[in-house]
Amino acid sequence: MKKFINHADDFLEQSLSGLQSAHPELLQVHKDPFFVTRKNINPHKVQIISGGGSGHEPLHTGFIGHGMLDIACPGHIFTSPTPDQMIAAIDYCQPKNGVLMIVKNYSGDVMNFEMASEMIDTKNATILTNDDAAVINSSYTEGKRGVAGTLIVEKVVGSLAESGASLEECQQFGLHANNLCSSIGVALTSCTIPAAGKPTFDIENDQIEFGVGIHGEPGRRREAIREANLIVSDMVEAIFQDFRERDVKIGGNSEFLVVVNGFGATPLSELYLIFNSVTNILNEKQLNIGRSLVGNFTTALDMAGASVTLCLLDDAIRKHWDSSVYTPSLRWGI
Amino acid sequence: MKKFINHADDFLEQSLSGLQSAHPELLQVHKDPFFVTRKNINPHKVQIISGGGSGHEPLHTGFIGHGMLDIACPGHIFTSPTPDQMIAAIDYCQPKNGVLMIVKNYSGDVMNFEMASEMIDTKNATILTNDDAAVINSSYTEGKRGVAGTLIVEKVVGSLAESGASLEECQQFGLHANNLCSSIGVALTSCTIPAAGKPTFDIENDQIEFGVGIHGEPGRRREAIREANLIVSDMVEAIFQDFRERDVKIGGNSEFLVVVNGFGATPLSELYLIFNSVTNILNEKQLNIGRSLVGNFTTALDMAGASVTLCLLDDAIRKHWDSSVYTPSLRWGI
């Protein structure tokens, strides 16, 4: 294992210290227990809290700021955060109008956010994101996994909360957005957890994992690498199959937000090539790309690979996607 | 080799098509020959043109837009662009007040931009960036190499040009900024050029290349990997040595812009850990970090590794770093 680390034990603490030093105007890192809040807290808006195991940066700590998250609770690498982190963070922010928890659907995250939900006095609600079309159940997951669609939910719900909407309105809108998202990922390599020191899984030099999870969990199949256009075509088909199975109506005028997300070790030039493939495939289907995002946003440490997310746009999602956002890793309109 | 590509021959064309589809509001990709311009051209400002071999994305195509570049000429992977690209781009933009070429110091880039400079009728000037402290001469380079400091020069000169400054003012300011930048990089792995199909160099599983170039060129030494704090300490020392040799005065109140730049396959969490190391080292020296940037900005395809750039801030550089910028990969203040 070759990584820029000192000791596996202090990796998270030192990485969060760097985040703090790089973005003092935006956020505040708290260390006992670990949680990250906005620098300037507005307790009168619904507080949007997310979190999960670290290793997916910039998700979630890089999305703290105006128009997106108020709080992120990072667990150790690929390990759920614990209820004391969420409780301490919520106590620190003193919300007057409730807390909305955006939780990726993994058993540990779900259990720990649920415990926090029961232990706090503040009114709260939860959105479970589960946009991964690849598999139904998986390691650590009952039901579908939450992956890169989560950032879309965080962006649009964050925008709605900024406008002063109620907890119930924010929850309903987040569930609506999650339902309109579908994602699938492909791994070219494994990833290496610092404390483990060796790759999470083995993969041959000419093989890919189609449908991989963001912790290296198995997908649908192991297969030989092919031309990118062919891989991406299968990815988009899997997404449309998922939409059909969930009765999400796609028609001739449908417009999508397309996110091409790198897992950490895939160059931007390849991500744009994947985006080009998606564009051509949707054009052939006479479907429209209304908005797009290309880059590393929901990563799996040092995995080479990428995911494609389609989110069916409606007026509300388009409006709240476009609204201003100012965070370490997503910013526009300000 | 596992990459998201169709054929090595059409990689650049398809990647640029994806860039175009993802950012139609910002830029225009031209294909015969390859060049990228802003969507909305203002021929009355000094046109800032850069370019170089592809494989370093988002440099330079991702920096086109308000407050930064007007034109980027991408060569094939790690291959200089040719004069016909620059000439066609400049002809397309019809500059009324001159063209400033920002060129990383590599022999092929220097030669080809120089030929274009001589072949156009438009008034023009050039800035050669050469911020790499690692080595004096190298493969493809006489003198020091231009690396991640280039984006600082592009940002601050782009801002000055936006304000209506003259060609001479922009060139002088860019030379000044380049002089105040120093960088050094470390590779943990090699990178793989699609057309070559195998890694550019071999490196053992426990070795790093200290002072590597952004094409995988040799640096100062091959050595065993150590704790990140020790590696980063050597990197910062090399930068201060370079400042001393070039008589750049660092004093007790000196304030720096610090860029921690990933080479493409290093997770953001490690880049923040490196930034934390730099912060601690500068704090110990009682030097200040005034501005910072952490992420993948000047990459080497799929290389694992990172560089550190320090730029000594003065009022003018601080002002033009802070000014609004709106490009695919760098945006704030708008």
Side-chain angles (χ1 to χ4, degrees):
Chain A
M1 177 183 68
K2 282 195 282 190
K3 288 179 181 291
F4 291 103
I5 62 172
N6 293 298
H7 306 285
D9 289 349
D10 53 24
F11 179 79
L12 179 59
E13 189 270 336
Q14 294 175 355
S15 181
L16 288 172
S17 293
L19 180 79
Q20 174 69 80
S21 306
H23 305 287
E25 78 289 4
L26 282 177
L27 52 79
Q28 178 69 45
V29 172
H30 307 256
K31 292 197 173 172
D32 188 22
F34 287 126
F35 62 93
V36 188
T37 61
R38 293 195 198 183
K39 170 82 177 299
N40 299 311
I41 293 162
N42 172 5
H44 299 287
K45 69 181 281 292
V46 171
Q47 298 293 296
I48 312 291
I49 178 172
S50 191
S54 293
H56 308 299
E57 289 71 23
L59 188 84
H60 301 271
T61 50
F63 298 144
I64 288 189
H66 175 83
M68 216 160 164
L69 299 180
D70 298 279
I71 303 168
C73 294
H76 285 278
I77 302 281
F78 291 178
T79 304
S80 297
T82 49
D84 63 306
Q85 294 175 253
M86 303 141 198
I87 293 166
I90 292 165
D91 187 53
Y92 182 84
C93 292
Q94 292 284 314
K96 308 285 182 234
N97 289 298
V99 173
L100 181 62
M101 303 178 175
I102 300 179
V103 183
K104 300 193 298 303
N105 186 38
Y106 297 97
S107 305
D109 292 351
V110 172
M111 183 181 72
N112 287 331
F113 272 98
E114 205 168 301
M115 282 177 64
S117 163
E118 289 167 5
M119 290 167 73
I120 57 175
D121 292 328
T122 315
K123 182 172 65 167
N124 65 83
T126 298
I127 297 166
L128 290 186
T129 64
N130 61 350
D131 55 304
D132 191 342
V135 292
I136 301 299
N137 299 313
S138 176
S139 337
Y140 329 120
T141 315
E142 288 174 45
K144 288 162 53 196
R145 303 177 294 217
V147 289
T150 307
L151 80 89
I152 298 173
V153 174
E154 292 179 355
K155 169 68 183 78
V156 300
V157 171
S159 166
L160 183 63
E162 210 72 60
S163 75
S166 71
L167 178 61
E168 292 70 22
E169 288 167 332
C170 290
Q171 183 192 30
Q172 286 308 309
F173 188 52
L175 293 170
H176 171 67
N178 176 64
N179 186 52
L180 296 183
C181 286
S182 182
S183 303
I184 194 156
V186 168
L188 307 192
T189 70
S190 182
C191 53
T192 298
I193 300 171
K198 59 183 181 55
T200 300
F201 61 91
D202 293 319
I203 185 163
E204 296 297 316
N205 276 335
D206 62 347
Q207 299 279 300
I208 64 173
E209 179 73 27
F210 186 88
V212 72
I214 57 172
H215 311 89
E217 309 98 297
R220 291 186 176 184
R221 58 180 186 262
R222 187 68 60 93
E223 63 184 15
I225 190 161
R226 295 173 291 156
E227 290 178 14
N229 285 343
L230 300 176
I231 299 171
V232 175
S233 174
D234 282 3
M235 294 170 84
V236 173
E237 283 311 313
I239 287 171
F240 279 112
Q241 178 68 28
D242 177 51
F243 280 142
R244 279 192 295 274
E245 286 170 6
R246 293 193 290 112
D247 226 17
V248 176
K249 300 283 183 238
I250 311 295
N253 288 322
S254 293
E255 191 174 275
F256 293 92
L257 159 61
V258 177
V259 177
V260 172
N261 169 62
F263 284 146
T266 289
L268 191 55
S269 50
E270 294 181 41
L271 300 181
Y272 278 121
L273 186 142
I274 292 171
F275 187 78
N276 183 51
S277 286
V278 176
T279 304
N280 291 339
I281 292 165
L282 295 190
N283 283 347
E284 276 169 28
K285 292 177 185 288
Q286 305 201 305
L287 298 169
N288 306 305
I289 299 182
R291 300 292 184 275
S292 64
L293 186 69
V294 180
N296 294 294
F297 297 101
T298 303
T299 60
L301 291 169
D302 53 354
M303 182 185 283
S307 63
V308 172
T309 301
L310 299 189
C311 173
L312 182 62
L313 287 169
D314 60 20
D315 288 346
I317 294 180
R318 192 183 292 104
K319 170 185 160 186
H320 289 291
W321 179 258
D322 286 348
S323 66
S324 62
V325 61
Y326 206 82
T327 71
S329 293
L330 213 61
R331 49 179 70 175
W332 56 71
I334 279 190
Chain B
M1 176 183 69
K2 282 194 282 190
K3 288 181 182 291
F4 291 104
I5 62 171
N6 293 298
H7 305 285
D9 289 348
D10 52 24
F11 178 79
L12 179 59
E13 189 270 334
Q14 294 174 356
S15 181
L16 288 172
S17 293
L19 180 79
Q20 173 68 82
S21 306
H23 305 287
E25 78 290 5
L26 282 177
L27 52 78
Q28 178 69 44
V29 172
H30 308 255
K31 293 197 173 173
D32 187 20
F34 287 125
F35 62 94
V36 187
T37 61
R38 292 195 198 184
K39 170 81 178 298
N40 299 311
I41 293 161
N42 171 5
H44 299 286
K45 70 181 281 292
V46 172
Q47 298 293 295
I48 311 291
I49 178 172
S50 191
S54 294
H56 307 300
E57 289 72 24
L59 189 84
H60 302 272
T61 50
F63 298 144
I64 288 190
H66 175 83
M68 214 159 164
L69 299 181
D70 297 280
I71 302 168
C73 294
H76 284 277
I77 302 282
F78 291 179
T79 304
S80 296
T82 49
D84 62 307
Q85 295 175 251
M86 302 140 197
I87 293 166
I90 292 163
D91 188 52
Y92 182 85
C93 293
Q94 292 285 312
K96 308 285 181 236
N97 289 297
V99 173
L100 181 61
M101 302 178 176
I102 300 179
V103 183
K104 300 192 299 302
N105 186 38
Y106 297 97
S107 305
D109 291 351
V110 172
M111 183 182 73
N112 287 329
F113 272 97
E114 206 168 299
M115 283 177 64
S117 162
E118 289 167 6
M119 291 168 74
I120 58 174
D121 293 328
T122 316
K123 181 171 66 166
N124 64 84
T126 298
I127 297 167
L128 290 186
T129 64
N130 61 351
D131 55 305
D132 191 343
V135 292
I136 302 298
N137 299 315
S138 176
S139 336
Y140 330 119
T141 315
E142 287 174 45
K144 289 162 53 197
R145 304 176 293 217
V147 289
T150 307
L151 81 89
I152 299 173
V153 175
E154 293 179 353
K155 169 68 183 78
V156 299
V157 171
S159 166
L160 183 64
E162 210 72 59
S163 75
S166 71
L167 178 61
E168 293 70 20
E169 289 167 330
C170 290
Q171 183 193 32
Q172 286 309 309
F173 188 52
L175 292 169
H176 171 68
N178 175 65
N179 186 51
L180 296 183
C181 286
S182 182
S183 305
I184 193 155
V186 168
L188 308 192
T189 70
S190 181
C191 52
T192 299
I193 299 171
K198 59 185 181 53
T200 300
F201 61 91
D202 292 319
I203 185 163
E204 296 296 316
N205 276 335
D206 62 347
Q207 299 279 302
I208 65 173
E209 179 72 26
F210 186 89
V212 72
I214 56 173
H215 312 90
E217 308 98 298
R220 291 185 175 185
R221 57 180 186 266
R222 187 69 57 97
E223 63 184 16
I225 190 162
R226 296 173 291 156
E227 289 179 14
N229 285 343
L230 300 175
I231 299 171
V232 175
S233 174
D234 281 3
M235 294 170 83
V236 173
E237 283 312 315
I239 287 172
F240 280 111
Q241 178 67 26
D242 177 51
F243 280 142
R244 279 192 296 273
E245 286 170 8
R246 294 192 290 112
D247 226 17
V248 175
K249 301 285 184 233
I250 311 295
N253 289 323
S254 292
E255 190 174 277
F256 293 92
L257 159 61
V258 177
V259 177
V260 173
N261 170 61
F263 284 147
T266 288
L268 190 56
S269 50
E270 294 180 41
L271 300 180
Y272 278 121
L273 186 142
I274 293 170
F275 187 78
N276 182 52
S277 287
V278 176
T279 304
N280 292 338
I281 292 164
L282 294 190
N283 282 348
E284 276 168 28
K285 293 178 185 286
Q286 305 200 306
L287 297 169
N288 305 305
I289 300 182
R291 300 292 184 273
S292 64
L293 186 69
V294 180
N296 294 294
F297 296 102
T298 303
T299 60
L301 290 170
D302 53 354
M303 182 185 282
S307 64
V308 172
T309 300
L310 300 189
C311 174
L312 182 62
L313 287 170
D314 60 20
D315 288 346
I317 295 180
R318 193 183 293 105
K319 170 185 160 186
H320 288 292
W321 178 258
D322 287 348
S323 67
S324 62
V325 60
Y326 206 81
T327 70
S329 292
L330 213 62
R331 48 177 72 174
W332 55 71
I334 280 192

